Amino acid sequence: MIIDINKKGDVIALKLTSGEEIIGVWQEHNNGQIRMRKPLAMVMTEKGPAMAPMMISADWQDNPVYIYKQGVTMTATPDKQIKQAYLQTTSPIVTSSTPGIIT
């Protein structure tokens, strides 16, 4: 049983029974499902951890995704660096990595 300590809009990490790790924006859970927005799967690459769409064929950018609670083994608050990377990845706002002078 998942105890709902998350608030709508919280960025959370889920560990699925399949072994996948998902990060996304918590919406709610009810009827045996967790509703998330913009879920991304954590994947390992040659350069370290990266994020990829949880489902390639789903419209995950604009529509919520429903995950069955019985498929989740853990929920957690993501590491600060992972959360920041997630927010940068999913935000439509483009930020400069080095500040500069605008003339």
Side-chain angles (χ1 to χ4, degrees):
M1 175 168 100
I2 294 175
I3 299 171
D4 192 357
I5 59 171
N6 300 300
K7 298 183 304 287
K8 185 174 182 174
D10 285 352
V11 176
I12 64 156
L14 302 176
K15 182 74 167 184
L16 304 182
T17 56
S18 63
E20 292 174 293
E21 204 169 310
I22 307 298
I23 185 168
V25 179
W26 181 271
Q27 296 296 295
E28 67 178 342
H29 84 263
N30 59 26
N31 298 327
Q33 298 177 346
I34 297 169
R35 186 172 67 148
M36 293 183 80
R37 296 199 51 77
K38 299 183 179 181
L40 295 176
M42 298 298 298
V43 294
M44 263 322 238
T45 68
E46 292 176 358
K47 296 179 181 179
M51 294 175 219
M54 185 179 163
M55 289 180 64
I56 305 258
S57 61
D59 181 11
W60 60 272
Q61 289 277 355
D62 298 319
N63 294 303
V65 171
Y66 297 87
I67 301 168
Y68 289 106
K69 285 188 206 179
Q70 70 249 24
V72 176
T73 60
M74 292 183 269
T75 64
T77 302
D79 176 76
K80 290 177 187 175
Q81 290 178 324
I82 297 289
K83 180 179 177 179
Q84 186 61 34
Y86 170 80
L87 292 172
Q88 274 188 313
T89 300
T90 58
S91 173
I93 299 170
V94 177
T95 57
S96 173
S97 58
T98 56
I101 298 173
I102 300 174
T103 58

